[in-house]
């Protein structure tokens, strides 16, 4: 996959075609997703308790979002009190510039990074490289991708699309004294050895954040490899970078969310490391001298403004929705062409990038609902996909403010008119009786679209008599036989 | 697990979610009614009408007076899932109008049932019909749900031994919460053995306009479904949703398989009436 064509050069349909026709990728994803689904279900054994916990998780996130501006203010005040510096960034550019400013202020040349999807969203690495600062990804998956010059295909397991063999080759080519081996432990050890060196020489550590606790001013970061622990403690400056929606109100809110997050993501009751960062080093107890938090909006306030869409921001990024998604399982993450793939990506990316650039995402779903069934914070993903479809084909009323950028991006006169006639037909029984057959077969299956159907299936054959007429005939027969009986008995 | 979080649950939650953290309660079911509306769905109406007639006969056999409103058309789902809310509402209004009496509405598809039971109340939210839509939604039952929970239907199986694969639609499972009733009905046929197929819970790839807008994704899904089903070599394939069956049957036929899925209404009628029809022919 290393000779992959850059995502932006292909349209959605072309990316889909490319990835659907890659048998290795199809098998990799199916197996990996099956594995993750099994992990999750074997860790949530009691369904009643799971549902209780999901309800609790959803209500904690809803409550936090309902007070978002206040909680962010409280968080900022607390963090400042604790000695953590807070920076607000409205856009990716602003966030990247903030990181650069901090780095330049310290004369930094190197940066070691824990896993951060937000830094993927802002394309921080590319930006810093251009400015002469070399970031090194320390999360194993991200490290592999950095060597391969690829993007994550999954938000929890970024390199899940890479086979063992591909990784072995990559390491052989890029690491000092690493011979080709398919022994996974040996590969991990080789990379760790290399990364250790970087940890000790890096000027800055940068990580993401899973939760921010407003009440205590704490930054919470979960991980399994220890790279987060090192990146937040070894370099003398730590920069945490995250989206504004990650705030929660109380420390008490944290345990249920952590349980939901780790069990939903990897079936772990808890991750190997749970980092809680509340201040820079005090005295000589260790830790960084400076801690910064960069809080990114980048479009998040758009869904925040709409009560229904706001639910998008409840997400705790566990990836269970993509692990269970039949579309994601078949495409993998790259076909989506966005930082966040899968169901969560299809409801979040339109807000971050506008509907114009993402108009296929809400539609490329069968609305099967597997995602919302497992979402630990009960985001009604299919309802939100449908809402985005609605916003995509709707014209604004006079003086109405759009709820999303790229509003109406899918609106066409023809389509609108077609649904208009469909509606007339189906809300008029008389018309329906006359025309239903031709209209139903199927509205979507007009000749131009029929090909999509017949590439994989034979065409449905209309019955010679509709149910309406079968029932009428049957009632007539019933009547006749009743009459006959009545007649016979006379 | 949840004991751990008792402290996190109190008044602090303050959201619109109910504080009581219980799984959604199963819906309440009425006593066996005298009359029901039968909602055939537009696909059954035009493509598989026999399933509708079989359902009607079966309900009548159970002593129910079945009203089949001649003016019923489509539940509005195709427009709704495509984002055309006004167009969908006009059609939905019509259905509520033609089934206005306070009888249960028995729907021959989990997907259309889900539309009426789950989505009608939200699509009329804030509109004058809101209350009416809620009340209507409360009377909507999916066919197998109605047989099991309202009629306590116990089929008397008169057929030869058979193995059966069951496909449950995603809406039946996730919007109507009725995936178990289809299994239950099949399991209550004494000469029928239900066989589980790989990834049985996964979507068949139909998804309404999804299957023609993204034919290759949908095609990959239905191909996998067909493989999973044919791998277990069942004698029959049964589903309570004709939309999924149309999709799966189309692909089965395209690939040259003999197997053809049957609507559960027809299957139940076939299994329970075959003998008696035979007798009456004597
Ligand atoms: S939407 Fe739900 S399931 Fe998907 S990543 Fe977010 S929290 Fe997890």
């Amino acid at each position: 996959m290393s000779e992959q064509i850059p995502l932006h050069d292909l349209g959605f349909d072309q990316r889909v075609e490319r990835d659907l026709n890659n048998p290795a990728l199809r098998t990799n994803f199916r197996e990996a997703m099956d594995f993750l689904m099994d992990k999750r279900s074997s860790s949530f054994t009691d369904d009643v308790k799971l549902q209780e916990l999901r309800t609790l998780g959803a209500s904690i996130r809803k409550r936090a979002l309902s007070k978002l501006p206040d909680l962010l203010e409280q968080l900022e005040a607390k963090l400042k009190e604790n000695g953590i510096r807070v920076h607000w960034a409205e856009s990716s550019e602003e966030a990247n510039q903030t990181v650069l400013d901090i780095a330049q202020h310290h004369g930094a040349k190197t940066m070691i990074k824990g896993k951060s999807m937000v830094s993927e969203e802002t394309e921080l690495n590319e930006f810093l490289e251009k400015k002469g600062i070399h970031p090194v990804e320390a999360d194993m998956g991200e490290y592999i991708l950095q060597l391969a010059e690829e993007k994550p295909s999954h938000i929890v397991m970024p390199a899940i699309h890479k086979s063992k063999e591909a990784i072995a080759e990559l390491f052989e080519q890029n690491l000092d004294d690493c011979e080709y081996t398919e022994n996974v432990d040996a590969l991990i050890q080789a990379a760790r050895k290399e990364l250790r060196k970087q940890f000790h020489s890096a000027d800055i550590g940068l990580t993401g954040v899973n939760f921010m606790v407003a009440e205590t001013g704490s930054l919470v970061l979960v991980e399994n490899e220890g790279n987060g622990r090192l990146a937040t403690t070894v370099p003398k400056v730590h920069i945490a970078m995250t989206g504004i929606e990650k705030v929660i109100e109380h420390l008490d809110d944290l345990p249920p969310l952590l349980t939901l997050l780790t069990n939903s993501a990897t079936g772990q009751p808890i991750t190997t490391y749970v980092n809680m960062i509340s201040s820079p080093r005090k005295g000589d107890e260790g830790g960084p001298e400076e801690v910064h938090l960069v809080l990114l909006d980048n479009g998040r306030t758009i869904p925040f403004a709409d009560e229904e869409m706001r639910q998008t921001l409840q997400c705790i990024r566990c990836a269970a929705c993509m692990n269970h998604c039949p579309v994601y399982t078949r495409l993998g993450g790259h076909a989506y062409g966005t930082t966040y793939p899968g169901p969560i990506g299809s409801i979040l990316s339109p807000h971050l990038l506008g509907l114009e650039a993402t108009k296929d995402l809400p539609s490329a779903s069968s609305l099967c609902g597997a995602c919302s069934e497992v979402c630990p914070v009960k985001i009604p993903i299919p309802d939100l996909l449908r809402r985005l479809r609605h916003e995509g084909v709707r014209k604004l009323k006079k003086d109405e403010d759009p709820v999303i950028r790229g509003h109406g991006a899918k609106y066409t006169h023809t389509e609108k008119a077609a649904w208009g006639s469909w509606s007339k037909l189906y809300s008029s029984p008389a018309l329906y009786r006359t025309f239903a057959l031709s209209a139903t077969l199927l509205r979507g299956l007009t000749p131009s679209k029929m090909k999509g159907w017949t590439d994989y299936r034979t065409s449905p054959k209309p019955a010679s008599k509709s149910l309406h007429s079968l029932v009428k005939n049957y009632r007539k027969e019933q009547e006749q036989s009743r009459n006959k009986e009545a007649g016979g008995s006379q | 697990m949840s004991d751990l979080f008792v402290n996190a649950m109190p008044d602090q939650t303050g959201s619109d979610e109910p504080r009581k953290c219980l799984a959604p309660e199963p819906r309440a079911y009425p006593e066996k009614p005298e009359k029901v509306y039968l909602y055939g769905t537009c696909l059954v109406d035009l493509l598989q009408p026999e399933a509708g007639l079989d359902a009607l006969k079966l309900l009548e056999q159970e002593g129910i007076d079945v009203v089949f409103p001649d003016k019923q058309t489509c539940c509005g789902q195709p427009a709704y899932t495509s984002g055309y809310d006004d167009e969908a509402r006009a059609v939905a209004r019509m259905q509520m109008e033609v089934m206005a009496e306070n009888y249960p509405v028995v729907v021959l598809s989990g997907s259309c049932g889900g539309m009426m039971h789950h989505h009608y109340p939200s699509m009329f939210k804030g509109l004058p019909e809101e209350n009416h839509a809620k009340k209507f939604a409360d009377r909507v039952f999916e066919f197998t749900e109605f047989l099991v929970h309202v009629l306590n239907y116990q089929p008397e199986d008169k057929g030869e031994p058979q193995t059966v694969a069951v496909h449950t639609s995603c809406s039946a499972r996730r919007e109507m919460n009725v995936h178990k009733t289809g299994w239950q009905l099949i399991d209550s046929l004494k000469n029928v053995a239900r066989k589980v197929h790989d990834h049985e819970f996964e979507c068949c790839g139909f998804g309404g306009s999804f299957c023609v807008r993204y034919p290759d994704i949908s095609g990959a899904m239905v191909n996998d479904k067909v493989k999973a089903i044919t791998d277990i070599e069942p004698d029959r394939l049964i589903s309570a949703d004709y939309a999924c069956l149309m999709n799966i049957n189309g692909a089965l036929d395209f690939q040259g398989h003999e197997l053809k899925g049957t609507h559960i209404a027809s299957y139940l009628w076939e299994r329970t009436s075959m003998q008696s029809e035979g007798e009456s022919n004597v």
Side-chain angles (χ1 to χ4, degrees):
Chain A
M1 301 258 308
S2 46
E3 68 288 344
Q4 215 175 55
I5 306 162
L7 296 174
H8 305 291
D9 296 355
L10 291 178
F12 181 75
D13 288 339
Q14 292 165 298
R15 294 193 299 264
V16 165
E17 193 187 337
R18 176 197 69 194
D19 294 349
L20 275 179
N21 291 310
N22 180 340
L25 182 136
R26 292 277 298 277
T27 321
N28 281 357
F29 270 95
R30 172 103 259 181
E31 285 172 1
M33 296 307 111
D34 282 351
F35 174 75
L36 290 169
M37 286 195 283
D38 284 350
K39 286 292 240 180
R40 175 187 173 276
S41 64
S42 56
S43 77
F44 286 128
T45 45
D46 183 334
D47 192 56
V48 174
K49 285 190 174 164
L50 168 61
Q51 300 315 331
E52 284 177 27
L53 194 53
R54 289 176 72 225
T55 305
L56 178 59
S59 58
I60 290 172
R61 291 297 295 134
K62 275 186 200 291
R63 165 164 46 85
L65 291 170
S66 72
K67 307 175 181 178
L68 187 64
D70 294 345
L71 290 188
L72 286 171
E73 244 174 63
Q74 191 190 354
L75 176 78
E76 182 178 25
K78 269 285 163 198
L79 287 169
K80 277 189 180 157
E81 215 178 290
N82 296 347
I84 295 176
R85 299 180 206 185
V86 179
H87 312 264
W88 301 90
E90 234 176 78
S91 62
S92 292
E93 294 73 35
E94 260 184 67
N96 291 345
Q97 188 60 44
T98 306
V99 173
L100 179 67
D101 291 346
I102 301 168
Q104 286 177 337
H105 176 80
H106 289 276
K109 283 275 160 259
T110 54
M111 174 184 280
I112 191 85
K113 286 181 72 200
K115 189 172 168 313
S116 157
M117 287 306 291
V118 167
S119 75
E120 293 285 351
E121 178 185 333
T122 65
E123 303 189 328
L124 177 68
N125 289 4
E126 293 81 345
F127 174 82
L128 290 179
E129 289 280 8
K130 273 189 219 137
K131 306 286 176 181
I133 295 176
H134 180 53
V136 176
E137 296 285 355
D139 171 86
M140 195 58 61
E142 292 280 357
Y143 180 67
I144 293 166
L145 296 184
Q146 191 174 26
L147 293 182
E149 298 181 20
E150 288 176 22
K151 295 277 185 192
S153 59
H154 187 275
I155 61 172
V156 172
M157 312 276 183
I160 201 146
H161 60 284
K162 301 295 279 183
S163 67
K164 194 164 61 183
E165 295 76 16
I167 297 168
E169 259 172 49
L170 199 62
F171 282 12
E172 186 192 15
Q173 288 159 11
N174 289 279
L175 302 189
D176 297 338
D177 5 289
C178 179
E179 283 173 14
Y180 184 92
T181 168
E182 289 177 16
N183 177 328
V184 175
D185 287 335
L187 287 170
I188 291 176
Q189 283 315 320
R192 284 178 81 112
K193 214 170 90 196
E194 181 65 30
L195 284 168
R196 282 288 152 145
K197 287 189 240 160
Q198 312 273 0
F199 273 116
H200 290 285
S201 61
D203 301 313
I204 294 200
L206 186 137
T207 66
V209 176
N210 294 96
F211 302 103
M212 310 181 284
V213 185
E215 179 181 65
T216 54
S218 326
L219 308 177
V220 185
L221 173 62
V222 296
E223 42 127 2
N224 283 314
E225 297 169 8
N227 58 71
R229 177 67 50 90
L230 285 169
T232 57
T233 52
V234 178
K236 66 183 199 308
V237 180
H238 169 217
I239 304 175
M241 198 174 176
T242 197
I244 51 170
E245 80 280 21
K246 295 276 179 71
V247 67
I248 56 174
E249 191 172 11
H250 300 292
L251 200 55
D252 266 355
D253 292 339
L254 184 62
L257 291 180
L258 280 182
T259 303
L260 283 167
L261 172 60
T262 61
N263 282 286
S264 302
T266 49
Q268 290 173 286
I270 189 80
T271 41
T272 319
Y273 295 86
V274 177
N275 305 286
M276 304 242 320
I277 297 144
S278 298
S279 75
R281 100 165 37 210
K282 287 181 188 144
D284 47 329
E285 64 182 4
E289 286 160 22
E290 268 181 34
V291 179
H292 297 261
L293 174 67
V294 182
L295 281 169
L296 178 67
D297 174 355
N298 201 26
R300 286 162 174 78
T301 39
I302 301 172
F304 177 75
D306 180 279
E307 208 189 324
E308 187 182 23
M309 305 275 212
R310 182 183 292 179
Q311 298 175 95
T312 311
L313 302 177
Q314 282 168 220
C315 175
I316 58 173
R317 303 282 191 274
C318 70
C321 56
M322 56 197 76
N323 301 344
H324 290 74
C325 175
V327 173
Y328 176 89
T329 300
R330 286 174 179 79
L331 296 180
H334 287 150
Y336 290 79
T338 49
T339 305
Y340 306 95
I344 178 60
S346 298
I347 56 170
L348 179 63
S349 311
H351 297 293
L352 305 185
L353 304 167
L355 256 184
E356 189 66 55
T358 55
K359 57 183 169 216
D360 278 302
L361 299 185
S363 309
S365 160
S366 65
L367 301 180
C368 78
C371 48
S372 56
E373 186 175 64
V374 294
C375 175
V377 289
K378 299 218 245 185
I379 303 176
I381 299 173
D383 292 350
L384 296 175
L385 289 170
R386 203 210 63 82
R387 174 73 192 283
L388 288 167
R389 292 180 186 183
H390 175 60
E391 299 302 334
V393 297
R394 189 167 75 93
K395 277 228 162 139
L396 290 180
K397 295 185 196 109
K398 209 167 151 260
D399 300 328
E400 189 188 356
D401 287 328
V403 293
I404 187 161
R405 277 180 288 161
H407 194 283
K410 287 195 98 161
Y411 180 92
T412 63
H413 272 311
T414 348
E415 174 115 6
K416 177 80 183 161
W419 282 109
S421 355
W422 179 91
S423 180
K424 274 203 202 88
L425 188 63
Y426 281 82
S427 49
S428 154
L431 279 180
Y432 174 77
R433 272 196 296 275
T434 329
F435 294 112
L437 197 60
S438 53
T440 297
L441 279 183
L442 293 169
R443 210 216 65 80
L445 300 188
T446 49
S448 67
K449 288 186 174 163
M450 196 68 193
K451 190 176 170 300
W453 179 271
T454 51
D455 276 349
Y456 298 93
R457 312 160 191 86
T458 51
S459 319
K461 289 168 201 65
S464 53
K465 282 197 174 116
S466 72
L467 177 58
H468 281 75
S469 50
L470 284 191
V471 171
K472 256 186 224 145
N473 292 347
Y474 179 67
R475 292 292 187 225
K476 238 182 248 156
E477 282 169 26
Q478 278 178 320
E479 182 133 336
Q480 278 165 2
S481 73
R482 259 196 305 269
N483 288 345
K484 228 191 242 160
E485 271 173 35
S489 66
Q490 265 169 12
Chain B
M1 185 198 291
S2 57
D3 307 345
L4 252 177
F5 307 116
V6 174
N7 291 336
M9 286 161 66
D11 351 324
Q12 307 168 4
T13 30
S15 76
D16 48 2
E17 285 277 321
R19 279 259 318 284
K20 165 174 83 141
C21 297
L22 289 175
E25 296 195 9
R27 68 187 287 199
Y29 291 104
E31 293 288 304
K32 180 174 170 179
E34 278 178 23
K35 263 191 192 180
V36 300
Y37 287 119
L38 178 64
Y39 194 72
T41 80
C42 58
L43 288 182
V44 164
D45 187 26
L46 302 165
L47 297 168
Q48 194 66 46
E50 301 79 13
L53 194 60
D54 291 336
L56 184 144
K57 289 180 188 165
L58 201 140
L59 290 168
E60 283 189 347
Q61 188 179 267
E62 291 302 297
I64 307 263
D65 193 353
V66 180
V67 182
F68 182 86
D70 192 45
K71 291 183 171 172
Q72 61 179 287
T73 59
C74 165
C75 65
Q77 181 166 230
Y80 190 63
T81 53
S82 300
Y84 291 88
D85 295 18
D86 291 339
E87 290 79 357
R89 270 191 289 266
V91 173
R93 246 179 231 122
M94 184 70 216
Q95 311 314 305
M96 297 198 289
E97 232 166 74
V98 304
M99 295 183 285
E101 297 295 330
N102 191 23
Y103 314 142
V105 178
V106 179
V107 184
L108 274 189
S109 141
S111 164
C112 313
M115 178 69 193
M116 294 173 148
H117 176 67
H118 184 81
H119 294 293
Y120 274 18
S122 52
M123 74 194 274
F124 286 104
K125 203 171 168 192
L127 296 174
E129 301 97 325
E130 182 175 351
N131 234 345
H132 183 57
K134 272 192 200 147
K135 284 199 187 130
F136 179 81
D138 276 346
R139 336 186 235 122
V140 170
F141 301 92
E142 187 267 342
F143 177 67
T144 65
E145 174 188 30
F146 187 79
L147 288 187
V148 169
H149 291 301
V150 182
L151 298 191
N152 187 23
Y153 174 67
Q154 309 282 353
E156 196 196 327
D157 189 8
K158 297 174 183 167
E160 293 294 309
Q162 262 185 351
T163 57
V164 158
V166 176
H167 173 74
T168 310
S169 76
C170 299
S171 333
R173 181 189 322 285
R174 303 197 174 103
E175 289 178 351
M176 298 298 282
N177 202 14
V178 298
H179 54 292
K180 292 196 180 123
T181 49
W183 295 342
Q184 230 168 299
L185 289 170
I186 297 296
D187 291 344
S188 62
L189 296 166
K190 67 177 192 303
N191 295 329
V192 172
R194 180 165 60 87
K195 286 174 104 179
V196 175
H197 59 272
D198 191 33
H199 289 91
E200 188 170 311
F201 286 6
E202 202 173 70
C203 176
C204 70
F206 178 62
S209 57
F210 166 75
C211 71
V212 282
R213 278 193 199 178
Y214 301 96
D216 298 329
I217 308 178
S218 170
M221 288 162 76
V222 75
N223 283 351
D224 287 349
K225 183 57 78 181
V226 160
K227 175 160 191 323
I229 292 169
T230 50
D231 273 354
I232 61 163
E233 301 183 341
D235 295 326
R236 302 288 291 267
L237 165 67
I238 307 298
S239 177
D241 239 292
Y242 184 69
C244 308
L245 275 184
M246 175 175 73
N247 180 40
I248 301 172
N249 281 349
L252 278 166
D253 191 35
F254 186 84
Q255 295 177 24
H257 294 285
E258 298 250 311
L259 186 69
K260 184 170 183 232
T262 308
H263 193 282
I264 195 163
S266 293
Y267 191 57
L268 289 172
W269 183 249
E270 170 192 322
R271 300 290 305 185
T272 53
S273 68
M274 44 182 17
Q275 203 86 30
S276 58
E277 264 180 21
E279 279 166 11
S280 68
N281 284 345
V282 174

